[in-house]
Every structure is written in C-alpha cells, then in structure tokens.
Amino acid sequence: MDAETSALRRRSRCELLLVMVLSAASVAACSTAPRRPAPIYSHDDPAPVGFSSAVRIVTLDQQSFEQSSAQVLKRVQNASRGRPINVLALSGGGAGAAFGAGALVGWTQAGTRPEFQLVTGVSAGALTAPFAFLGPDWDAQLTKSFSGRESAHLLRFHWPGLFFGSSLFRGKPLSDLVNEYATEDMVRAIAAEAAKGRMLLVATTDLDGERTVIWDMGLIAMTGGKRALTLFRQVLIASASVPGIFPPVMIPVETTGTSTEEMHVDGSTTASVFIAPEIASVLPTELRAFRGTNIYVLANGQYGAPVVTTPLRTAAIVKRGLEASLHSSTRAAVLAALALARQNDMNFQVTAIPDDYSYNGLFDLKPERMRALFNFAMGCARDGALWTSAEGLLRRSAQARLSRPGTPPKCPNLG
C-alpha cells in the first residue's frame, strides 16, 4: 500500500466519522421529545403546582418583587426580636462547597457562630445553606456530605448526552447526594425554624426567561408532605445544576388554569450571591430600620484570579471560562453587598478561598482534595482567621500573588 492510498483511506475514515457524528446530532434533534412553548407571564404570578406563588420571588416581576422583598424584611426583623440581625450569604463555587462547609464547622468549634435570621444560598452555596440555617446540631451531617466522602462519583460522564441528552454528566449522583441529606427530618426542622420568622432563600435560574427565581425554602417546608419534600429537593438540585454540565430540573407550574414546565438550572448563571434579596434599589427607606445588621458573605471560591497557563484543549478552555465568569460575578456581588452595607450602616464581613491555596476550581472533586479544603477552612474558622473586610480580602489577594510557589497558604484574615 503506497502512502497516497493510505492517506486517502485515513481521510475516508475521518469523513465517515464526521458523517456519523453529524448524523447522530441530526437524529438527536429529531428524537428528543419536543417541549411545550416556554410560558410567558404577563399578569398572574406562576406558582409551582400545589403551592401558592408566595413560595418564590421572581426578580423580573418588579411589582411582585417589591411586595415580596418588603415581606422578607418584615419577617427577618420580627425574627430578630430586637437583637442584631445576622445575615449569611453563601455563593456558588462547585467543589468550593467543601470550603463553606468546613468554615461553618470550624465556626461552631470557635464558639462564635451566630444564629442567622436570614440565610441565602446559590449553587454550591445552596447545597450547604440548609445546614447553615439549622445550626451546629447538623454539623455531623454537613461534614459527611461535603468533606469529600460523598464527592467521588459526582462527575459521571454521559457521552450520549453530547447528542441525545441535556448534559455532559449524569444528574443522578447529584440527586442522590441531595436526596441523602434533604430528608423529611431536615424539612420538618426547617419548617419549625421558619415558623419563628427565620428565612432560608435559595436562587435558581429560569433558563427560558433568563431570570433569577428566589425560593422561600421555609415556606415550602411549612407546606409539609411529600410534595414539599419533592420541591425542596428539586430546588436544591436545580440551583447546583450547571447548564450543560448537569441536566436541568423541570418544575411544573401553573397560572390562570394553564399548566406547563419551567427549566431551572444553576442559580449562579444569573446571581452568584444575593443579599436579602437584591432590595437596595427598590426599598431604600425600609432598609434604614436594619442599621447594625451583620452581613457575612461566604464565597465558595477564590476572590482573585490566579494566573495559570490554560492548555489549548476544549475542556480546559471551557472550564477556565466558567471559572472566570464565576470569579467576575462573585467580585461584583461582593462589591454590591458592601455598598448596601455601607449605605445603611451595616457591618460587613467576607471570606473566600485564598488565592495562594492550591485549588483547581469548580470540578476539583477528588475526595482527598475536598477533605483538605474542608480542613483548611475549618482550621481558619476555629482560629478566628476566617472573616475579613472587603479591603482585607483585596489586600490578601494581592499578597497571595507575591507568595513563592510551594509556600503554605495562609488563612483569609492575616490579622
């Protein structure tokens, strides 16, 4: 066989493979069950089937948003019973959930972890938010779920998803993780705390409408029964389902007698972290009553952008792009929360994975890496070196860039 014939055969095989790939994509487009048209809401607020519209806030519906935000403020104020109000916001960050989980457990060990009247969570932060809301009694379960023991099999590649599905990875491992800890006992415990006025809010993204939807997990829990447990789990799973990486969660809704489904994905797609929720622009007068509120922002990722050489490979470029987007949106959200605090005489503290910590980003889910990050955060919190100011975080980030390779990472607050 001469070189020309061999080259032709190789070219033919490549063309055949290309045809097969294109044919598979074409078949997938034809074989995937078509969705009903995405719902368009004009007047009536949609509600999950079996629930009132009060269980969620749709941020693009201005009138409803203002009314719901006012109710949030009133409930939080009542829950504080005249004491300083404590607010905790947990950001997205994928594998960085181990940092947030370790921080909470270490905070308990330090003996300084407060009770929060309001906890908000997005993406990875949504997964740990119920534990932050329920308090130290749930630290053992938090440790089991997010210190690396349960993370080994979260990323299971699903190659048919390239052509016939909605994601690169299977959704079952994430669902199994949530279903393991989001039990009837947890939902009942959250309902009991919500009855006192305390609030747990989780954000998802309605992908069709490109809008943030904020779910009142306490009201969902107070509804009770299997339907409440199902929706509670769906919201947590959806909030952490990165589009294209994990399957979206389809949530049945109804309005004006019409039933349909909304496609919900990772809350970080539209809101990497949120406070109270984003009420500064619509309710400035009411916020004056919240002077002295303690706001804590726990970023489950690195605040800065460590310089790394990105390989010329599709997967590496996509991963780096996702991380860059998350870093940028998290920095913007932290600055917005800081502005809210300063304008209303609130106390603001923040923490994040230090830039000199050897962290490989969203999908760094190896159990040993998760455990190391969990232990690092736990130690920082236990030693009182977790929380800092926004200026301190920036200074810490700048110092991290000057650290020598191999130098042990230092906690977010250098003192």
Side-chain angles (χ1 to χ4, degrees):
M1 182 185 300
D2 59 24
E4 183 177 356
T5 302
S6 179
L8 286 172
R9 289 191 175 182
R10 284 197 301 269
R11 179 179 175 183
S12 297
R13 285 196 295 268
C14 290
E15 290 175 345
L16 178 59
L17 178 60
L18 178 60
V19 170
M20 290 173 65
V21 169
L22 293 176
S23 298
S26 177
V27 170
C30 297
S31 62
T32 302
R35 290 183 59 202
R36 286 174 288 178
I40 298 176
Y41 309 114
S42 54
H43 301 291
D44 295 338
D45 290 334
V49 174
F51 296 84
S52 76
S53 60
V55 301
R56 65 187 205 165
I57 304 168
V58 180
T59 59
L60 292 185
D61 180 355
Q62 188 70 10
Q63 181 178 359
S64 173
F65 179 62
E66 291 183 21
Q67 293 173 350
S68 299
S69 297
Q71 293 170 6
V72 168
L73 291 171
K74 184 176 180 180
R75 285 170 59 187
V76 169
Q77 194 171 32
N78 290 339
S80 70
R81 297 180 178 86
R83 297 170 296 177
I85 296 170
N86 297 308
V87 177
L88 175 66
L90 299 159
S91 85
F99 178 80
L104 290 168
V105 173
W107 206 355
T108 297
Q109 294 173 356
T112 56
R113 178 175 166 183
E115 178 181 87
F116 301 101
Q117 284 69 46
L118 174 64
V119 174
T120 73
V122 181
S123 192
L127 297 180
T128 56
F131 297 101
F133 181 76
L134 290 174
D137 288 346
W138 288 76
D139 279 0
Q141 180 63 53
L142 175 63
T143 301
K144 176 185 176 184
S145 299
F146 294 98
S147 64
R149 302 181 193 178
E150 308 294 331
S151 67
H153 305 294
L154 277 179
L155 295 180
R156 291 183 181 174
F157 190 69
H158 181 54
W159 74 265
L162 290 170
F163 306 110
F164 303 101
S166 58
S167 64
L168 293 177
F169 295 99
R170 298 181 186 275
K172 189 175 184 300
L174 177 58
S175 298
D176 288 345
L177 172 65
V178 171
N179 293 343
E180 173 72 21
Y181 72 77
T183 61
E184 292 181 357
D185 286 344
M186 171 178 274
V187 172
R188 279 194 295 266
I190 287 173
E193 293 303 313
K196 302 174 185 178
R198 297 178 62 218
M199 299 194 70
L200 171 61
L201 303 178
V202 166
T204 65
T205 297
D206 173 4
L207 196 56
D208 291 322
E210 295 185 4
R211 58 186 188 169
T212 304
V213 178
I214 298 170
W215 300 82
D216 189 331
M217 305 299 277
L219 284 184
I220 293 173
M222 290 173 69
T223 303
K226 291 184 178 180
R227 183 170 285 174
L229 178 61
T230 297
L231 182 59
F232 190 94
R233 289 171 168 174
Q234 284 181 316
V235 171
L236 293 181
I237 295 167
S239 187
S241 294
V242 181
I245 303 299
F246 293 109
V249 175
M250 308 303 296
I251 298 180
V253 297
E254 55 188 359
T255 180
T256 60
T258 301
S259 296
T260 185
E261 286 183 325
E262 293 176 346
M263 179 183 285
H264 285 263
V265 298
D266 190 345
S268 290
T269 307
T270 52
S272 62
V273 63
F274 68 95
I275 298 291
E278 327 286 25
I279 54 180
S281 62
V282 294
L283 293 169
T285 302
E286 286 79 356
L287 281 173
R288 293 172 187 168
F290 288 81
R291 290 178 178 175
T293 290
N294 301 309
I295 295 179
Y296 301 88
V297 175
L298 201 166
N300 288 302
Q302 292 176 314
Y303 187 75
V307 177
V308 297
T309 301
T310 305
L312 279 171
R313 296 195 301 270
T314 301
I317 293 170
V318 169
K319 174 177 175 288
R320 186 64 173 169
L322 287 172
E323 291 169 354
S325 176
L326 183 62
H327 286 150
S328 176
S329 60
T330 298
R331 286 192 292 271
V334 168
L335 291 176
L338 175 63
L340 168 69
R342 284 181 172 172
Q343 291 167 7
N344 295 279
D345 296 323
M346 298 174 177
N347 304 310
F348 181 84
Q349 296 190 71
V350 63
T351 191
I353 302 173
D355 290 355
D356 55 1
Y357 186 91
S358 179
Y359 177 62
N360 293 326
L362 296 170
F363 307 117
D364 192 9
L365 290 164
K366 292 182 178 179
E368 63 275 15
R369 299 280 296 167
M370 294 277 285
R371 185 70 193 182
L373 182 56
F374 179 95
N375 288 337
F376 173 79
M378 182 172 63
C380 290
R382 185 179 57 239
D383 296 340
L386 181 72
W387 297 102
T388 185
S389 64
E391 294 82 2
L393 196 64
L394 285 171
R395 185 168 59 253
R396 178 72 183 82
S397 181
Q399 291 172 341
R401 291 195 182 96
L402 300 176
S403 62
R404 295 180 179 178
T407 303
K410 297 179 181 178
C411 292
N413 187 350
L414 294 177

